[in-house]
Amino acid sequence: MNVLIGIIGLLLIVVVLWDVFETIVLPRRVTRRVRLTRLFYRFVWQPWSAIAQTIQKKRRRETFLSFFGPLSLLVLLTLWATTLVLGFACIHWAIGSRIGLLGGPRSFLTDFYFSGTTFFTLGLGDITPLGAPARALTVIEASVGFGLLALVIGYLPVLYQVFLTARGKHLDAGCARRYAADRR
């Protein structure tokens, strides 16, 4: 059972890191149908657009829809981070990481908590890895967490500029339509 949990954890990590690479780093469009980001946006867009259809006033509907891009990006980043923390927690649980806990029994939630504090490099000190495998995994997880944070911070200005450009093109197209309508 522990081996299966470890494989699931490793699979979660690989899938998320590959998805992050394809979504943020890769400069070309990925055409593969099954992707975590694609599934996320398909799942989230349908209810968001259904809610938008119920808004009668066009300006309010457009304002509501304009929040989707930036907000969904933040939710996607949270999904990636949470899935990575869960994957590393599964591996800690599977290898039986000896974790020094200041009171209380060890459980999967303890591994999840430890994984979260490691991934976000909090280092609270209330739980410490004991033994070589746990320490090695802790260093790897902290590196991945720090790298993901750096990648996101590095690309947020680029993504923000894309949102502004897309919004500007949308506004320019609206102005052109109004101009054409006024000329008739």
Side-chain angles (χ1 to χ4, degrees):
M1 185 64 166
N2 285 353
V3 173
L4 180 62
I5 291 173
I7 291 171
I8 289 171
L10 185 62
L11 188 62
L12 287 172
I13 293 167
V14 168
V15 166
V16 169
L17 290 179
W18 188 256
D19 194 56
V20 168
F21 174 76
E22 287 182 340
T23 303
I24 294 181
V25 178
L26 205 60
R28 62 176 171 78
R29 190 168 199 225
V30 179
T31 57
R32 198 166 27 86
R33 285 197 171 280
V34 180
R35 291 182 50 217
L36 183 60
T37 301
R38 181 182 173 104
L39 294 172
F40 168 77
Y41 277 106
R42 282 188 173 254
F43 178 75
V44 174
W45 173 247
Q46 289 176 349
W48 192 274
S49 63
I51 292 169
Q53 295 300 322
T54 64
I55 300 172
Q56 298 298 321
K57 293 184 179 181
K58 184 178 180 181
R59 180 171 279 234
R60 282 190 180 171
R61 184 174 52 245
E62 291 296 322
T63 301
F64 179 76
L65 288 171
S66 72
F67 284 109
F68 180 76
L71 187 61
S72 67
L73 182 62
L74 293 175
V75 173
L76 179 63
L77 296 173
T78 303
L79 175 70
W80 283 339
T82 304
T83 306
L84 286 170
V85 168
L86 179 65
F88 278 107
C90 287
I91 293 175
H92 272 292
W93 180 258
I95 67 172
S97 292
R98 291 185 13 231
I99 296 175
L101 183 61
L102 297 176
R106 180 177 179 260
S107 67
F108 181 77
L109 290 177
T110 305
D111 287 325
F112 187 74
Y113 169 75
F114 176 69
S115 181
T117 59
T118 301
F119 185 82
F120 295 108
T121 61
L122 294 175
L124 297 177
D126 56 342
I127 300 177
T128 57
L130 303 172
R135 288 181 177 158
L137 188 58
T138 300
V139 169
I140 292 168
E141 183 176 6
S143 300
V144 169
F146 189 72
L148 182 68
L149 180 65
L151 188 66
V152 167
I153 289 173
Y155 275 93
L156 274 180
V158 174
L159 294 173
Y160 183 71
Q161 189 63 38
V162 168
F163 282 131
L164 285 179
T165 303
R167 183 171 165 81
K169 287 181 182 176
H170 177 70
L171 292 176
D172 289 345
C175 291
R177 280 194 302 273
R178 283 192 299 278
Y179 176 76
D182 290 343
R183 302 281 294 169
R184 288 185 195 162

